[in-house]
Amino acid sequence: MTEISELPDAAKDFLLPYLPSRDTILAAPNRPHITLTYACSLDSMISLAPGVRTTLSGPETKSMTHYLRLKHDAILVGVGTAIADDPSLNCRYPGVSRDTQPRPFILDPSARWNVADSKVRRLASEREGKSPSVIHSDALFSEEQLDAMTSEGESDVPNAERVFVRGGHSTDSSVTVQPRHIDWLDLLRVLKRRGVNSMMIEGGATIINDLLQHPDLVDSVIITIAPTWLGQGGVTISPSPQVKNGERVNAANLHQTSWRQFGSDAVLCGRLTR
Ligand SMILES: NC(=O)C1=CN([C@@H]2O[C@H](COP(=O)(O)OP(=O)(O)OC[C@H]3O[C@@H](n4cnc5c(N)ncnc54)[C@H](OP(=O)(O)O)[C@@H]3O)[C@@H](O)[C@H]2O)C=CC1
Ligand SMILES: Nc1nc(O)c(N)c(N[C@@H]2O[C@H](COP(=O)(O)O)[C@@H](O)[C@H]2O)n1
């Protein structure tokens, strides 16, 4: 396993403007500060093939990811990532305590992930991380199922929690959505009410590609770019095409960008343009 080491001060200074702060948290009082972060190849891929866990970050950017985890209250990944990677989703930065661990959230609308057998739940039981919260769409479960999965605030799985969020609703009334779909703003409001002031969203592709087109919900973007091409057939970061006045336009843009080299990787930070 890669050693996670303390970042040099210059690297911390580079990241600082993109981290959650009192000001960024107060600026969006109804939702957590959101940092979107992932590692990709030179062909904008985040894994070799769907469902294949792929290491892209070198030791220095891996350490950066754990430093970022230390600086956020929570981490969120989608169920596709939870199933493919069986991730730890804890912080292994030097000096981290259980209290300063981020809370892992897994967006799994229809409960298809086996939380009971997951590494993240096992680590929580070993006090190596906080217990995971699995987010489901309330539109997919009956009262009886809801009762069976949660009783008197207790989850059906020890060291894990289930959170039911309104599904099948969109804050954009012109859009029709499936019952499994959870509106991002609805979800982020629920998490804020649960005390989450800052959250890293680490992936996977479906979630990143969607959120790249929600500049109103994302405060900063931190991308590790590894010096490799994964090749065709990989899982690609490329948001859906955008058309304005009948013409194709860029799908998403960053501004206030900064670059820095971390070992062999490049790190790009920026803010999505509204
Ligand atoms: N290099 C990197 O930095 C990273 C790489 N990865 C890689 O990414 C790949 C996984 O990506 P992908 O398959 O796209 O999976 P995701 O992790 O993006 O999960 C996608 C699933 O999340 C659920 N979901 C997403 N948006 C919503 C919403 N608004 N409301 C309700 N549910 C939602 C859906 O579940 P459902 O289908 O049940 O409806 C959807 O299919 C893996 O190969 C992994 O290794 C992942 C993270 C980081
Ligand atoms: N930053 C980064 N670099 C890579 O090379 C990656 N493959 C990922 N993946 C993300 O990190 C999670 C794994 O974390 P653990 O080390 O198991 O805690 C994985 O689920 C992806 O979200 N990230």
Side-chain angles (χ1 to χ4, degrees):
M1 186 176 286
T2 318
E3 184 77 22
I4 311 293
S5 45
E6 176 102 27
L7 291 190
D9 285 346
K12 293 180 188 170
D13 290 348
F14 163 76
L15 295 167
L16 185 63
Y18 303 96
L19 293 179
S21 66
R22 192 173 171 275
D23 286 351
T24 63
I25 289 167
L26 288 176
N30 297 328
R31 62 162 177 83
H33 170 113
I34 298 296
T35 305
L36 194 59
T37 181
Y38 61 93
C40 67
S41 61
L42 294 172
D43 40 1
S44 195
M45 297 199 181
I46 62 169
S47 73
L48 280 161
V52 176
R53 182 175 171 132
T54 306
T55 299
L56 283 157
S57 298
E60 295 83 359
T61 42
K62 179 124 186 153
S63 297
M64 178 191 78
T65 296
H66 284 267
Y67 178 74
L68 295 176
R69 288 181 178 180
L70 183 70
K71 297 289 174 187
H72 291 79
D73 293 341
I75 307 176
L76 181 139
V77 297
V79 59
T81 298
I83 290 173
D85 291 4
D86 192 19
S88 304
L89 300 181
N90 62 357
C91 174
R92 304 184 298 269
Y93 197 74
V96 67
S97 69
R98 191 161 189 269
D99 284 348
T100 49
Q101 285 283 347
R103 169 88 51 203
F105 286 90
I106 292 83
L107 179 53
D108 179 15
S110 63
R112 63 187 175 94
W113 179 55
N114 183 351
V115 57
D117 289 345
S118 66
K119 191 190 284 177
V120 62
R121 193 208 61 80
R122 177 175 57 73
L123 288 169
S125 70
E126 293 167 357
R127 303 186 64 78
E128 294 289 325
K130 289 206 171 124
S131 55
S133 297
V134 194
I135 301 158
H136 305 307
S137 163
D138 67 359
L140 297 175
F141 297 89
S142 64
E143 288 285 323
E144 292 73 30
Q145 287 171 318
L146 265 158
D147 283 348
M149 291 161 94
T150 53
S151 61
E152 292 174 17
E154 297 281 320
S155 169
D156 58 327
V157 183
N159 294 302
E161 174 198 41
R162 298 188 188 276
V163 179
F164 290 86
V165 178
R166 174 164 62 157
H169 162 263
S170 171
T171 40
D172 178 351
S173 56
S174 66
V175 179
T176 311
V177 292
Q178 299 294 317
R180 65 194 313 108
H181 177 88
I182 296 172
D183 182 84
W184 281 106
L185 190 53
D186 284 343
L187 170 58
L188 297 182
R189 282 180 175 146
V190 168
L191 299 188
K192 179 77 179 188
R193 285 200 294 273
R194 298 171 71 88
V196 176
N197 284 317
S198 57
M199 186 161 75
M200 261 168 98
I201 299 187
E202 294 198 14
T206 307
I207 285 182
I208 296 167
N209 285 330
D210 189 13
L211 282 174
L212 286 173
Q213 295 185 324
H214 282 87
D216 49 326
L217 300 180
V218 176
D219 298 285
S220 40
V221 180
I222 302 179
I223 306 170
T224 293
I225 301 158
T228 186
W229 289 265
L230 293 184
Q232 292 171 23
V235 175
T236 306
I237 296 303
S238 181
S240 55
Q242 292 298 301
V243 176
K244 258 193 195 144
N245 303 325
E247 295 203 356
R248 277 287 298 271
V249 293
N250 294 12
N253 294 292
L254 286 179
H255 65 285
Q256 294 177 0
T257 52
S258 298
W259 292 86
R260 184 180 166 85
Q261 191 162 346
F262 282 64
S264 305
D265 301 338
V267 173
L268 166 62
C269 298
R271 299 182 212 287
L272 286 172
T273 305
R274 294 185 185 204

